[in-house]
């Protein structure tokens, strides 16, 4: 049997979402961003909301997210995606608006914007990629960098006396009455991805029902920044990130 | 004739915004312009026209909300005063870089730093020369009356959409706070979704229908050659604005031997100074730039051939004077008189400065 005999419509079990463009992704092999992009695209396609969805991309490795998902996008200044998303949501309350942000973007420079957008209960979805590092600028310490973790700006490991403690911003956000769904997920296995997809779908459905802010943290890897192979990164994440950033839903109303 | 009212400059900004079909205002309180948002919140335009009003957590958030709203093809604005406008510079350069239309009102107070809450004109450089990073320009309108606070809101939006460029109304604490008679504008309906799709559909993020490619609002271009090309396009746009949009006003300038150059509040005070000087037999006129960018370069250059000297009067240590000197190409003496830090020049002081620095010199 020839391979051509196998590649047939009736044998299709999985295909790239129509929302994903044909552009070559710039992400490093093993990076979590690409997986999460795929999941977001699938949810948009399955819900049939391409024409109603507006994404807001951050400054960080996912700044170019607009090259990969075939929807309308706005690229926000560093940390300001929740403010940009606020206005889009207020001006187009019937649309599905989501902000996609890294940990430096969301939990450091954009700390005020995310807290206040969530506190106002803006009817948006926030997808928060926590890879515990500034991936884009070459691996500096992020607010979520673990104690003792080596980065370009903590070459001897994060010393909490010098640099403060890793910030569990998702726990903070779960306290805010404006949020309706706050959950911490991951994307390192098929099971995790399926769970993540369920949550992203739920978040978008919340937006459709105007329930307030849905916030999804994805504990992620940055093998380039961490200087580990993709496989080692997943192991390191499970052994070090998961104990400090435990997976699970903090709020779902 | 439109409806006549006695109003504060700041209140009129709010009223004019509602009347011109503004879709969204995003702000943060600061003296001396807080009445803008206070008036809007009291007026509840969301019940009347559907206009959105948000008190943001900071000026940084407010201007980024403006970015988001402008990116949707909507008529959106913010207002603030000097320290808040400094915070907005990040968003303003992104808006210029993404070629989005919006209106920013600066009711200037004295600086530097927290400075004073009293009026000043010390943000001219920031407004006209960039303020934020990168080679960009704002269209800058300088009102000198409550009436112009009203008129420039609509004009500002018109220019912002015509050129897809942020427009700033550079006002000051005097005009923001003073009450004058104002003829309000007629009510314009807000843009409909159909209008936006038809007129801004090539760039605005409204949700991608099957019938068009996705729209992306961004100021990022990692390919330097393309970024340079984009900058050329911006420069061409600014050149066109310089060519077509200069606005200025004159007072007794035709037969003048000397000219005062002043904008905003200073131009009101300088008008009185012109009268005082003329009563003394000195033939003085006034030229008032209304657009600070585009600056009336040709017009000033023309006057330089007819007068013996120019005095700029600004509530600053001398900022616009640099543009006046460039405009007249140093062909005649140009001097500056200013009071600043919240102090306001008197007409007598201006005449004395004219006599000392220009006529006597
Ligand atoms: C105002 C501003 N400050 C700093 C930067 C530089 N910068 C770009 S990306 C980034 C950090 C991004 O890290 P994160 O949000 O964690 O995203 P990641 O790349 O890890 O996905 C920084 C500091 C910038 N672009 N703008
Ligand atoms: Mg990161």
């Amino acid at each position: 049997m020839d391979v051509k005999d196998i590649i047939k419509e009736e044998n299709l079990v999985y295909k790239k979402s129509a929302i994903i463009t044909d552009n070559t992704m710039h992400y490093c092999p093993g990076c979590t961003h690409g997986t999460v992009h795929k999941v977001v695209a699938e949810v948009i396609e399955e819900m049939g909301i391409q024409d109603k969805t507006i994404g807001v991309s951050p400054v960080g490795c996912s700044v170019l997210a607009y090259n990969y998902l075939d929807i309308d996008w706005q690229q926000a200044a560093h940390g300001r995606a929740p403010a940009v998303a606020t206005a889009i949501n207020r001006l187009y309350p019937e649309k599905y608006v989501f902000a996609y942000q890294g940990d430096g973007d969301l939990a450091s420079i954009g700390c005020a914007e995310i807290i206040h957008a969530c506190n106002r209960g803006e009817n948006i979805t926030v997808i928060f990629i926590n890879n515990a590092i500034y991936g884009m600028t070459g691996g500096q310490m992020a607010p979520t960098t673990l104690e003792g973790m080596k980065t370009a700006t903590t070459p001897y490991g994060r010393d909490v006396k010098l640099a403060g403690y890793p910030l569990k911003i998702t726990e903070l956000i779960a306290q805010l009455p404006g949020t309706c769904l706050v959950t911490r997920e991951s994307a390192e296995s098929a099971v995790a991805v399926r769970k993540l997809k369920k949550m992203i779908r739920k978040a978008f459905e919340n937006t459709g029902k105007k329930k307030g802010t849905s916030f999804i943290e994805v504990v992620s890897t940055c093998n380039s920044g961490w200087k580990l192979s993709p496989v080692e990164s997943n192991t390191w994440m499970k052994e070090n990130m998961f104990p400090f950033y435990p997976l699970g839903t903090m709020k779902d109303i | 004739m439109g409806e006549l009212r006695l109003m504060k400059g700041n209140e009129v900004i709010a009223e004019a915004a509602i009347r011109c079909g503004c879709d969204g205002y995003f702000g943060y309180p600061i003296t001396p312009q807080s009445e803008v948002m206070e008036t809007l919140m009291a007026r509840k335009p969301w019940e009347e026209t559907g206009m959105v009003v948000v008190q943001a957590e900071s000026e940084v958030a407010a201007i980024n909300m403006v970015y988001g709203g402008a990116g949707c093809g909507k008529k959106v604005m913010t207002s603030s005063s000097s320290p808040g406008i400094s915070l907005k510079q990040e968003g303003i350069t992104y808006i210029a870089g993404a070629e989005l239309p919006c209106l920013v009102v600066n009711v200037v107070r004295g600086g530097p730093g927290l400075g004073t809450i009293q009026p000043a004109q010390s943000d001219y450089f920031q407004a006209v020369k960039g303020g934020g990073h990168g080679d960009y320009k704002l269209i800058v309108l300088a009102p000198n009356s409550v009436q112009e606070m009203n008129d420039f809101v609509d004009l500002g939006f018109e220019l912002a959409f015509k050129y897809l460029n942020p427009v700033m109304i550079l006002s000051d604490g005097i005009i923001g706070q003073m009450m004058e008679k104002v003829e309000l504008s007629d009510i314009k309906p807000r843009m409909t979704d159909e209008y936006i799709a038809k007129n801004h559909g090539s760039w605005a993020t409204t949700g991608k229908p099957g019938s068009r490619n996705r729209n992306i609002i961004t100021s990022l271009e990692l390919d330097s050659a393309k970024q340079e090309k984009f900058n050329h396009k911006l420069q061409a746009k600014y050149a066109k604005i310089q060519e077509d949009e200069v606005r200025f006003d004159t007072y007794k300038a035709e037969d003048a031997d000397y000219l005062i150059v002043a904008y905003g509040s200073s131009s009101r005070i300088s008008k009185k100074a012109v009268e005082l000087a003329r009563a003394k037999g000195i033939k003085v006129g006034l030229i008032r730039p209304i657009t600070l960018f585009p600056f009336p370069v040709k017009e000033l250059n023309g006057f330089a051939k007819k007068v013996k000297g120019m005095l700029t009067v600004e509530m600053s240590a001398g900022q616009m004077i640099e543009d006046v000197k460039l405009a007249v190409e140093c062909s005649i003496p140009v001097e500056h008189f200013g009071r600043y830090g919240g102090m306001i020049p008197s007409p007598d002081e201006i005449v004395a400065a004219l006599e000392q620095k220009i006529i006597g010199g």
Side-chain angles (χ1 to χ4, degrees):
Chain A
M1 191 166 49
D2 190 68
V3 66
K4 286 205 191 92
D5 300 321
I6 302 168
I7 305 174
K8 287 192 259 187
E9 195 64 35
E10 59 266 35
N11 289 338
L12 189 73
V13 287
Y14 179 81
K15 72 173 179 57
K16 184 172 78 112
S17 163
I19 302 292
I20 296 270
T21 64
D22 289 333
N23 294 330
T24 309
M25 281 197 184
H26 70 283
Y27 299 115
C28 309
C31 173
T32 313
H33 278 302
T35 312
V36 180
H37 282 21
K38 183 195 80 145
V39 174
V40 174
E42 287 174 0
V43 169
I44 293 169
E45 183 177 21
E46 286 163 24
M47 288 177 69
I49 53 170
Q50 180 187 24
D51 59 341
K52 297 187 194 72
T53 304
I54 299 164
V56 183
S57 77
V59 171
C61 283
S62 49
V63 63
L64 293 171
Y66 55 71
N67 282 340
Y68 310 130
L69 265 65
D70 189 22
I71 53 169
D72 279 357
W73 282 98
Q74 294 202 24
Q75 197 288 306
H78 197 17
R80 318 300 177 217
V84 172
T86 292
I88 304 173
N89 161 51
R90 295 292 183 108
L91 291 161
Y92 287 127
E94 305 309 321
K95 310 275 169 174
Y96 292 79
V97 182
F98 74 94
Y100 185 106
Q101 303 180 260
D103 42 277
D105 194 80
L106 181 142
S108 190
I109 194 166
C111 204
E113 284 77 10
I114 190 65
I115 294 274
H116 286 280
C118 290
N119 196 48
R120 287 189 301 263
E122 295 298 339
N123 192 44
I124 58 172
T125 291
V126 179
I127 294 164
F128 167 38
I129 305 297
N130 177 9
N131 55 12
I133 208 158
Y134 284 14
M136 185 183 216
T137 36
Q140 297 83 4
M141 182 186 74
T144 47
T145 295
L146 296 176
E147 189 171 349
M149 186 173 164
K150 283 188 182 159
T151 70
T153 51
T154 55
Y156 309 108
R158 181 175 188 161
D159 176 355
V160 295
K161 283 201 225 74
L162 275 176
Y165 295 88
L167 180 57
K168 294 188 182 183
I169 192 143
T170 306
E171 275 81 348
L172 272 173
I173 280 165
Q175 307 305 311
L176 305 174
T179 52
C180 58
L181 172 67
V182 180
T183 188
R184 183 181 280 129
E185 306 295 331
S186 65
E188 83 290 359
S189 67
V191 177
V193 169
R194 244 177 268 137
K195 170 96 195 304
L196 171 66
K197 185 168 168 184
K198 222 176 99 191
M199 283 308 184
I200 292 180
R201 169 128 195 174
K202 187 164 211 173
F204 275 83
E205 284 170 356
N206 285 344
T207 301
K209 293 180 202 149
K210 302 203 164 80
K211 285 177 76 174
T213 314
S214 298
F215 188 97
I216 298 170
E217 172 179 344
V218 187
V219 180
S220 302
T221 59
C222 175
N223 42 284
S224 298
W226 294 359
K227 308 209 184 309
L228 297 171
S229 72
V231 174
E232 288 165 347
S233 291
N234 277 343
T235 307
W236 193 91
M237 174 177 71
K238 283 187 250 180
E239 287 173 358
N240 298 279
M241 296 275 281
F242 288 0
F244 191 80
Y245 298 113
L247 304 185
T249 299
M250 294 168 217
K251 188 183 205 174
D252 184 3
I253 41 179
Chain B
M1 184 93 180
E3 192 184 333
L4 287 181
R5 293 252 200 105
L6 181 68
M7 285 180 96
K8 267 191 183 190
N10 288 337
E11 292 166 353
V12 127
I13 292 282
E15 189 61 41
I18 299 168
R19 286 175 177 251
C20 81
C22 179
D23 295 298
Y25 171 93
F26 307 89
Y28 187 84
I30 184 168
T31 309
Q33 68 75 56
S34 294
E35 295 86 353
V36 179
M37 189 168 30
E38 288 169 7
T39 305
L40 285 168
M41 289 297 187
R43 282 278 268 107
K44 297 202 262 188
W46 49 93
E47 288 179 358
E48 193 180 318
T49 68
M51 177 185 175
V52 165
V53 187
V54 179
Q55 177 167 344
E57 61 271 32
S58 67
E59 288 88 350
V60 175
I63 192 69
N64 283 285
M65 289 175 188
V66 167
Y67 178 97
C72 289
K74 299 276 186 176
K75 252 189 199 179
V76 289
M77 65 179 291
T78 186
S79 67
S80 189
S81 179
S82 311
I85 296 291
S86 291
L87 276 181
K88 287 187 200 289
Q89 293 304 323
E90 176 195 64
I92 292 173
T93 163
Y94 274 71
I95 291 167
E99 294 204 87
L100 297 177
C102 78
L103 183 65
V104 179
V105 182
N106 184 1
V107 182
V108 180
R109 61 189 244 183
L114 200 50
T116 168
I117 59 171
Q118 304 302 329
Q121 295 181 310
S122 40
D123 297 355
Y124 178 93
F125 283 150
Q126 187 194 48
V128 170
K129 306 293 174 188
H133 60 279
D135 277 321
Y136 76 91
K137 283 186 184 297
L138 306 178
I139 297 171
V140 183
L141 303 171
N144 80 346
S145 63
V146 173
Q147 186 64 53
E148 284 187 344
M149 289 288 256
N150 176 80
D151 300 349
F152 290 179
V153 171
D154 194 35
L155 174 64
F157 276 123
E158 195 190 303
L159 293 170
F161 276 90
K162 180 169 175 191
Y163 293 101
L164 296 181
N165 205 70
V167 172
M168 178 175 277
I169 294 181
L170 189 71
S171 182
D172 63 63
I174 299 177
I175 298 158
Q177 291 296 326
M178 78 183 173
M179 290 185 98
E180 275 187 316
K181 185 177 78 176
V182 53
E183 183 187 344
L184 297 176
S185 306
D186 293 338
I187 293 166
K188 269 193 200 172
R190 288 173 52 226
M191 293 179 282
T192 59
D193 285 354
E194 294 68 41
Y195 178 93
I196 291 173
K198 185 162 170 270
N199 293 281
H200 314 315
S202 62
W203 55 269
T205 58
T206 55
K208 177 201 171 311
S211 54
R212 67 158 165 82
N213 290 334
R214 68 184 183 285
N215 284 337
I216 300 165
I217 305 296
T218 183
S219 59
L220 176 71
E221 179 48 75
L222 291 169
D223 180 336
S224 312
K226 285 189 188 158
Q227 182 63 10
E228 186 184 46
K229 211 168 147 200
F230 172 70
N231 269 274
H232 285 156
K233 182 185 155 206
L234 283 186
Q235 293 305 318
K237 172 165 89 175
Y238 304 146
K240 175 110 179 77
I241 293 170
Q242 180 69 56
E243 200 52 41
D244 293 350
E245 302 299 345
V246 168
R247 287 166 171 79
F248 68 101
D249 200 6
T250 58
Y251 179 65
K252 300 197 172 166
E254 281 321 309
D255 66 338
D257 291 330
Y258 306 98
L259 269 186
I260 294 174
V261 190
Y263 70 94
S265 290
S266 294
S267 69
R268 297 273 291 253
I269 304 164
S270 296
K271 204 167 169 183
K272 181 77 190 164
V274 167
E275 279 158 20
L276 292 181
R278 286 207 172 235
K280 283 181 149 188
I282 312 167
K283 277 178 42 199
V284 186
L286 171 69
I287 177 158
R288 169 171 82 102
I290 294 172
T291 48
L292 300 181
F293 176 75
F295 197 67
V297 175
K298 272 191 215 148
E299 295 71 15
L300 276 164
N301 195 283
F303 275 112
K305 298 187 175 78
K306 299 193 230 164
V307 301
K308 296 179 203 153
M310 292 185 187
L311 181 75
T312 64
V313 178
E314 305 173 63
M315 295 191 294
S316 79
Q319 300 191 10
M320 182 183 65
I321 184 172
E322 295 191 3
D323 286 336
V324 176
K325 281 185 172 173
L326 283 171
V328 305
E329 296 171 316
C330 297
S331 57
I332 52 164
V334 178
E335 296 290 340
H336 164 74
F337 175 71
R339 295 294 305 271
Y340 36 103
M343 297 301 287
I344 297 165
S346 72
D348 289 319
E349 283 177 325
I350 296 170
V351 176
L354 188 73
E355 288 175 318
Q356 239 174 49
K357 297 189 176 198
I358 301 287
I359 302 170

